[in-house]
Amino acid sequence: METLFIGQNIFRLKVVDSTNNYAAGLLRQSGSTERKKIFEGTLVIASFQEQGRGQRGNQWQSKDGENLTFSLILFPQFLKPSEQFFLNKIISLGVYDFLGSLHVKKIAIKWPNDIMVKGKKIAGILIENTLRSNEILSSVIGIGININQQNFEKIPNAISLRKIIGKKADLDKCLEKLCGFIESRYLQLKTNRTNIDKDYLNCLYQKNLTKKYKIKGIELVAEISGVTPAGFLILQKMNGEEIFCDFKEVEFL
Ligand code: BTN
């Protein structure tokens, strides 16, 4: 792999419950007496997950061997817990850049970190951080990206790379490319955060468009105007009033 550290160590599994669980287990062990050092950038990748997890307690379903389902271990100790949303931003941007490099059009990041193509979901991200006092000790970044799957029977709003470009892609090559883009964004985060904010906002799904949302059970028409540093979505109602929404309280209609 032509990266500095992301993907230089890979645990390849045929079947696992969830690569995020497996990665968290590796981190736990490395902290115990067994002390097997886990390097930053380590990946856990599985052909099939029996209990792939999504955000909000949802499942992540992916056919055996057809897509990329993996977790990346990072130690972003340079970020304060209050800055953890930067991880959502850089990982989403890395996936966005990867798809862009394959000439995929109409890509957008649906807040907080779903990757959409033509309004359908191609990738999901589940970030689980371990915090200690005022730092992020470790981060397990789970990424599911639909590459070659053609039928999504029970997931009507899903799309894959194959459905977009019309041909099968090599999973290992995709992984390698994706790791390169994520690494660049991670390094960019260390040197120039302002551009990360700008790029994330530029890619945001439905930004500045008048759309329907459901907030705490109430339907309303509003525009996405931005995201706060802590990661709250800012919706502007038609009367100009701004609402700050937490992840669990907003639904895109
Ligand atoms: C979402 O869109 O809700 C997030 C989906 C995240 C799925 C990935 S697949 C690899 C990793 N392991 C998991 O159990 N989940 C993440």
Side-chain angles (χ1 to χ4, degrees), residues 51-61 121 124-126 128 247:
Q51 288 172 54
R53 295 189 285 115
Q55 302 170 92
R56 312 182 206 228
N58 289 331
Q59 289 182 341
W60 182 260
Q61 293 174 5
K121 182 160 165 175
I125 297 164
L126 179 68
E128 298 179 303
F247 181 50

Side-chain angles (χ1 to χ4, degrees), residues 64-250:
D64 191 356
E66 299 195 359
N67 304 312
L68 285 175
T69 46
F70 67 99
S71 301
L72 159 66
I73 296 175
L74 291 176
F75 301 118
Q77 282 154 0
F78 58 94
L79 287 178
K80 296 195 193 78
S82 61
E83 298 168 330
Q84 39 186 315
F85 196 70
F86 269 115
L87 294 173
N88 301 68
K89 289 181 186 166
I90 56 142
I91 301 298
S92 313
L93 285 168
V95 178
Y96 183 102
D97 296 341
F98 160 70
L99 293 170
S101 77
L102 301 173
H103 311 291
V104 173
K105 302 274 176 298
K106 303 214 167 118
I107 320 165
I109 300 170
K110 184 175 171 190
W111 175 87
N113 49 219
D114 285 350
I115 312 302
M116 313 295 286
V117 174
K118 297 189 190 117
K120 293 188 168 210
K121 182 160 165 175
I122 187 166
I125 297 164
L126 179 68
I127 301 183
E128 298 179 303
N129 295 326
T130 304
L131 310 178
R132 187 186 59 190
S133 55
N134 208 25
E135 61 178 11
I136 304 177
L137 268 193
S138 61
S139 181
V140 171
I141 293 169
I143 303 177
I145 166 158
N146 299 327
I147 304 285
N148 288 325
Q149 189 166 332
Q150 285 183 291
N151 299 308
F152 295 92
E153 293 89 3
K154 291 179 199 129
I155 333 170
N157 204 34
I159 197 166
S160 66
L161 184 63
R162 182 168 183 180
K163 289 189 88 152
I164 300 162
I165 62 175
K167 55 175 193 248
K168 243 179 127 172
D170 182 298
L171 290 182
D172 280 338
K173 284 197 185 125
C174 285
L175 180 70
E176 176 160 4
K177 257 190 147 186
L178 180 56
C179 286
F181 284 110
I182 291 174
E183 185 170 274
S184 303
R185 288 293 185 173
Y186 189 58
L187 296 175
Q188 189 186 16
L189 173 62
K190 290 189 177 185
T191 54
N192 188 345
R193 292 185 184 187
T194 323
N195 278 350
I196 299 280
D197 285 330
K198 214 172 62 208
D199 290 353
Y200 179 79
L201 280 186
N202 273 337
C203 301
L204 210 53
Y205 181 69
Q206 293 190 1
K207 180 157 173 276
N208 297 335
L209 297 178
T210 308
K211 295 279 178 187
K212 277 192 188 163
Y213 297 89
K214 199 185 220 175
I215 314 290
K216 294 185 189 160
I218 299 166
E219 270 189 36
L220 54 87
V221 173
E223 272 182 23
I224 293 178
S225 60
V227 175
T228 71
F232 286 81
L233 183 72
I234 311 171
L235 282 177
Q236 187 161 39
K237 294 209 298 197
M238 303 321 283
N239 64 8
E241 187 194 327
E242 279 189 330
I243 335 175
F244 297 81
C245 314
D246 192 358
F247 181 50
K248 288 177 203 86
E249 33 184 65
V250 54

